Amino acid sequence: MKKILLTSLLAVFAVSGAQAANYFVGGSASLSLDDTHKNTIEVSPEIGWYYNENWDFGLNMDLGYARSDADNGLWGYGIGGFARYKVAQFGDFKLLLKGSVGAAFATVTSNVDAIDGETTAALAASIAPMVTYDVSESLTLYANLNFLGVSASYMFENDTLGIGNDWAFNAGVDSSNVFNTGDFKVGFLYNF
């Protein structure tokens, strides 16, 4: 029964996609390195739908690893949804605003047994600009400019890690070392 239902859903998705030709898949990646072993790598696959020439909607997943020092690190993962609005277009270049909401989790890896394997959870929302370039009808390159955005998150309590229920807000421009920050993500979309 499950196979029949799954096959039916895939057939409906394929037919509607073939008729509308307005779906996309892709993703982005970021890398941050510094001299004190505080390194971060993140990949974010996504799937979505072009509603019209100004709006698109989708789902994304975030997977990453951050090393805070020689003994501690964090495996991060999360899922969320997004909406993008086209603000301006200059030929094949577009400036968009991307609004995102989602849930994020991080699991500690440590030499300290008391905190090794502990997991934190948060809910987050953000609005940030992004730039796209249409290489062809099927391929779009983009850059998320998260360092220019605004965000809010709510962290859930974890007594073992000394984290309390807390809100965090971030707004403003951070242009220091733009090309070496996890907030600058480059990616691609394959358009159907």
Side-chain angles (χ1 to χ4, degrees):
M1 184 66 175
K2 290 180 183 179
K3 289 181 181 178
I4 293 171
L5 179 62
L6 181 59
T7 304
S8 300
L9 288 172
L10 289 173
V12 167
F13 181 75
V15 169
S16 65
Q19 292 174 348
N22 60 353
Y23 293 99
F24 60 87
V25 296
S28 61
S30 66
L31 177 66
S32 177
L33 306 171
D34 80 17
D35 297 335
T36 61
H37 301 288
K38 295 179 181 175
N39 306 323
T40 304
I41 184 168
E42 185 177 344
V43 294
S44 301
E46 64 184 61
I47 184 169
W49 169 57
Y50 293 110
Y51 176 69
N52 60 32
E53 70 175 43
N54 292 323
W55 286 96
D56 58 87
F57 303 94
L59 298 172
N60 69 299
M61 186 186 312
D62 293 320
L63 306 165
Y65 181 74
R67 186 170 189 93
S68 57
D69 58 40
D71 298 323
N72 298 299
L74 288 174
W75 285 101
Y77 44 97
I79 188 163
F82 63 85
R84 297 190 285 226
Y85 178 74
K86 180 175 69 173
V87 176
Q89 183 168 353
F90 310 97
D92 291 330
F93 287 95
K94 295 177 192 156
L95 174 64
L96 299 112
L97 280 180
K98 179 179 182 180
S100 303
V101 295
F105 305 90
T107 301
V108 175
T109 60
S110 176
N111 292 337
V112 179
D113 289 338
I115 63 171
D116 188 46
E118 282 293 314
T119 300
T120 64
L123 298 176
S126 66
I127 298 174
M130 65 184 293
V131 178
T132 68
Y133 175 73
D134 294 328
V135 176
S136 68
E137 189 174 306
S138 298
L139 183 64
T140 300
L141 300 177
Y142 70 87
N144 286 329
L145 308 176
N146 296 336
F147 56 89
L148 296 173
V150 295
S151 64
S153 61
Y154 182 78
M155 180 72 73
F156 292 97
E157 181 177 6
N158 183 313
D159 290 333
T160 304
L161 295 175
I163 298 171
N165 291 328
D166 197 14
W167 284 96
F169 298 95
N170 186 18
V173 176
D174 178 10
S175 61
S176 62
N177 203 5
V178 168
F179 294 104
N180 193 34
T181 177
D183 289 335
F184 181 80
K185 291 184 178 181
V186 293
F188 74 94
L189 300 175
Y190 181 81
N191 308 303
F192 293 97

